[in-house]
Amino acid sequence: MKAFSEKMTLIWPPFFWLLVLFILPILLILIISFSISQNHGGYELGFTLEHYAHFFDALYFKIFLRSIGYAISTTVLTLLIAFPMAYYISFRESHVKYKLMLLVLIPFWTNFLIRTFSWVNILGYKGLINNVLMYVGIIDSPLILLHTSLSVNIGLVYSELPYMILPILASIDRLDKSLLEASTDLGANKWQTFKNITFPLSFPGVITGIIFVFIPTLGQFVVPDILGGKNSYMIGNVITNQFLVTRNWPFGSAISISIMVLVLILMIYYLRNYGDRGQIKDFI
Amino acid sequence: MSQQFRQNNLDFGEGRGLKLTTIVGFLFLYIPILILMLYSFNASRVASHWGGWSIKWYIEMFQDRNLWAAVTNTLIIGILNTVVSIILGTLAALGLHRFNYRFHQSLLLILNMPIIVPDIILGVSLLMFFVLLNLSLGIVSITIAHITFSISFVTLIVLSKLAQFNKTLEDAAKDLGANNWQVFWKITFPNILPGITAGGLLAFTMSIDDFIVTYFTSGVGSTTLSVYIYSMVKRGITPEINAISTLLVAITIALIFGISHIQRKPQD
């Protein structure tokens, strides 16, 4: 009897909090997404699918597809940079490795508004790149680099890169290095060893990295807001706009729920296949 | 022959391409931060022109009253968030570690969700919830929102500490006549304290760094540092932001060394 009460006392306060302040609000926007919009914000309970239909309009759907495109390009680019970095770092001697890991952590923990903003100094009309190029004489007038889809891509890759390095690094690190020696002893060359041992065993880390880069990128609105222009708006900008400016809450909710469904599918797939290995812990 | 054997064993991760990618990757990560730090000492208002070394943006920053009001709010929220999420997160970790619940998998799913769900969705759903409850947006609503995403991180860190902890110590203490309360405070708590501290530091850092969730759950007159920086970015006040950013990066580095010092454990 006593064990029962302890069992419940431990779990109730935190999960009651999460049920009321996390699950319930998401159910609330689910309800709002089917409700009828009123002018000046607000909603009237009801059942309509018009907000979802509106979301699949050409204009918004195009922005949604563009966001998915950015999320994919960011994931691919970060993976291409992060995997070699993680691989290189994990084979260093332990004191060098420790220092390099701290170097990865510093940008990871730096306020991401700052990390995004730092590119304004570099890509701006009067920024570093234009100054250098003009000084050297390669160009006569400044290039338009800021507020383009190029600058958005750079900003996204920049802010997400550490999220890809860390889980891959952790999974290569966990790998039993004697397997690599065994493979070499048995006559495999480096490429064969990489293909048959290192890559498959580091795959859970790669998947974790993909999830942790793809999903936040999908919901981004700060990077396109600071570094992008009208043609690089992402779905996060539309949501922000609907909630804070246009105040069409049901429409904003419908977009949020659509993204939430996509995220849930990815997450359930991930937890089913990789969740038991506790990969999320690699971040903390 | 033995030479070749050694080379084969020690050759992993030695490729020139790997090293080059790593160097370029680190340059990519650090050049923007270094440029920003450099410009924070630029006497000129425009980034394109180097007007000589100056600390005037730092002086301006320290004289900015609105900035300090935002910093105060940020610290109050950060501390409240840390205290509450440490308590709730540790309770959840102890429960999940000790017992097998009927809906154990669902509990783990609910716990992992706030980490994965995009911040913007957390932000708008809480905004709608607070509006429905007629709760005025301010320090309280921001703190509640921060606790909601912090609990999960604290729980996961404390859980990983509990997994390393030898449970027979608790049993031994019980056999020697200690009650549950004594077992917790004398045995369990000291052993998981590093995890709780690291979780608390993480909760604090995430709270002071957060922008998105705060942006949606803050009202007029309850600006935090991140929201203030954002408004400066939108208004294009660059030199002062560079100064604030440099200071924040320095604080971040100090915090990281703090966390890594606490978490550093013998190589296994």
Side-chain angles (χ1 to χ4, degrees):
Chain A
M1 213 47 213
K2 200 170 177 201
F4 173 81
S5 74
E6 187 192 339
K7 193 173 171 177
M8 290 305 151
T9 321
L10 289 174
I11 213 72
W12 259 106
F15 280 93
F16 183 71
W17 183 290
L18 289 176
L19 284 176
V20 173
L21 289 151
F22 178 66
I23 304 292
L24 213 57
I26 286 178
L27 292 177
L28 175 67
I29 59 167
L30 178 68
I31 294 170
I32 297 176
S33 74
F34 293 115
S35 301
I36 295 142
S37 307
Q38 286 183 325
N39 298 334
H40 319 297
Y43 48 89
E44 200 177 304
L45 288 184
F47 185 83
T48 170
L49 289 172
E50 71 172 290
H51 308 298
Y52 287 93
H54 192 31
F55 175 49
F56 289 98
D57 270 1
L59 170 68
Y60 295 108
F61 201 65
K62 197 178 142 200
I63 298 178
F64 181 59
L65 289 181
R66 181 195 293 151
S67 307
I68 292 182
Y70 276 135
I72 291 173
S73 65
T74 305
T75 309
V76 171
L77 287 170
T78 49
L79 188 59
L80 287 177
I81 305 170
F83 199 94
M85 284 181 83
Y87 189 84
Y88 180 82
I89 294 170
S90 76
F91 282 98
R92 292 311 98 196
E93 283 174 59
S94 69
H95 71 281
V96 178
K97 183 161 74 183
Y98 185 72
K99 281 176 191 145
L100 292 176
M101 282 168 91
L102 283 184
L103 277 181
V104 177
L105 280 173
I106 290 168
F108 179 71
W109 285 125
T110 303
N111 188 310
F112 93 112
L113 274 175
I114 292 173
R115 281 191 282 153
T116 307
F117 171 73
S118 60
W119 283 96
V120 173
N121 289 326
I122 296 178
L123 299 172
Y125 193 72
K126 293 177 173 177
L128 185 77
I129 291 182
N130 276 325
N131 271 328
V132 169
L133 289 180
M134 278 167 68
Y135 183 79
V136 177
I138 295 176
I139 52 171
D140 297 324
S141 55
L143 301 170
I144 307 286
L145 300 168
L146 201 59
H147 308 306
T148 61
S149 67
L150 173 75
S151 58
V152 173
N153 257 311
I154 292 175
L156 290 172
V157 170
Y158 187 66
S159 61
E160 301 299 332
L161 186 58
Y163 291 84
M164 188 64 97
I165 299 176
L166 291 171
I168 299 179
L169 183 57
S171 68
I172 299 182
D173 231 23
R174 258 197 295 270
L175 179 158
D176 183 354
K177 299 282 166 27
S178 63
L179 288 175
L180 305 180
E181 288 180 33
S183 160
T184 312
D185 288 349
L186 292 168
N189 63 32
K190 276 168 110 181
W191 169 244
Q192 287 170 321
T193 305
F194 178 79
K195 195 181 69 175
N196 295 318
I197 299 187
T198 317
F199 190 73
L201 288 177
S202 61
F203 198 63
V206 172
I207 294 289
T208 306
I210 289 175
I211 294 277
F212 275 83
V213 169
F214 188 84
I215 292 176
T217 307
L218 207 57
Q220 263 286 358
F221 76 92
V222 177
V223 171
D225 198 37
I226 295 175
L227 300 176
K230 278 270 176 288
N231 291 323
S232 42
Y233 263 28
M234 293 175 68
I235 203 68
N237 301 87
V238 179
I239 295 177
T240 314
N241 212 44
Q242 293 304 325
F243 276 99
L244 301 180
V245 184
T246 321
R247 293 171 76 83
N248 186 347
W249 292 345
F251 182 45
S253 300
I255 306 174
S256 305
I257 290 294
S258 309
I259 289 176
M260 186 72 200
V261 169
L262 191 63
V263 168
L264 269 183
I265 293 170
L266 289 173
M267 194 177 134
I268 287 168
Y269 167 82
Y270 169 76
L271 288 177
R272 277 252 169 90
N273 294 287
Y274 303 95
D276 54 321
R277 298 177 216 183
Q279 302 292 329
I280 288 175
K281 277 187 241 123
D282 291 348
F283 284 98
I284 48 191
Chain B
M1 195 61 203
S2 86
Q3 180 71 26
Q4 176 148 25
F5 178 79
R6 260 184 58 191
Q7 215 175 13
N8 273 339
N9 282 321
L10 297 172
D11 219 19
F12 290 100
E14 292 299 333
R16 217 173 278 166
L18 282 176
K19 192 173 183 174
L20 192 71
T21 315
T22 308
I23 293 171
V24 171
F26 275 120
L27 286 177
F28 176 65
L29 283 177
Y30 280 90
I31 284 178
I33 296 177
L34 294 175
I35 298 282
L36 183 138
M37 289 177 156
L38 181 70
Y39 278 145
S40 77
F41 294 104
N42 184 3
S44 163
R45 182 167 276 278
V46 275
S48 57
H49 171 70
W50 182 256
W53 296 91
S54 160
I55 54 161
K56 71 174 173 192
W57 306 118
Y58 288 88
I59 295 169
E60 201 157 294
M61 173 182 92
F62 281 108
Q63 287 168 344
D64 185 342
R65 278 163 165 264
N66 293 330
L67 173 69
W68 289 105
V71 168
T72 312
N73 285 342
T74 307
L75 290 178
I76 292 172
I77 294 163
I79 290 167
L80 287 175
N81 168 56
T82 308
V83 172
V84 180
S85 59
I86 277 182
I87 295 170
L88 292 176
T90 307
L91 285 178
L94 287 170
L96 290 168
H97 181 69
R98 280 194 197 157
F99 303 104
N100 208 354
Y101 291 94
R102 236 176 105 197
F103 301 104
H104 207 84
Q105 287 307 315
S106 313
L107 293 180
L108 286 176
L109 183 74
I110 292 173
L111 195 70
N112 279 307
M113 264 168 79
I115 299 179
I116 300 185
V117 167
D119 287 349
I120 190 168
I121 293 185
L122 199 65
V124 298
S125 62
L126 279 167
L127 170 67
M128 288 296 101
F129 191 62
F130 293 147
V131 167
L132 182 74
L133 296 182
N134 239 328
L135 181 79
S136 67
L137 300 175
I139 289 184
V140 174
S141 63
I142 301 171
T143 309
I144 290 174
H146 285 195
I147 293 167
T148 307
F149 67 67
S150 298
I151 292 175
S152 309
F153 287 94
V154 176
T155 305
L156 289 179
I157 295 190
V158 177
L159 262 180
S160 70
K161 262 282 168 286
L162 280 166
Q164 293 166 13
F165 163 61
N166 194 345
K167 209 179 172 317
T168 53
L169 283 175
E170 288 180 341
D171 298 336
K174 273 185 197 154
D175 286 348
L176 292 169
N179 64 34
N180 282 348
W181 199 244
Q182 287 170 319
V183 171
F184 178 75
W185 286 113
K186 303 245 168 186
I187 309 287
T188 320
F189 182 73
N191 273 286
I192 60 171
L193 186 60
I196 296 175
T197 317
L201 268 175
L202 183 66
F204 185 71
T205 332
M206 289 203 309
S207 170
I208 57 173
D209 265 0
D210 178 71
F211 167 70
I212 298 179
V213 175
T214 312
Y215 186 58
F216 286 102
T217 51
S218 63
V220 187
S222 61
T223 314
T224 68
L225 186 56
S226 278
V227 176
Y228 190 70
I229 292 177
Y230 182 71
S231 71
M232 289 175 88
V233 170
K234 294 301 277 182
R235 279 180 289 149
I237 307 171
T238 54
E240 215 187 314
I241 308 172
N242 286 335
I244 299 170
S245 305
T246 304
L247 199 67
L248 277 181
V249 171
I251 294 171
T252 308
I253 292 172
L255 272 176
I256 284 172
F257 278 97
I259 294 180
S260 68
H261 189 73
I262 289 165
Q263 272 203 321
R264 185 138 50 151
K265 47 192 180 215
Q267 213 72 43
D268 44 335

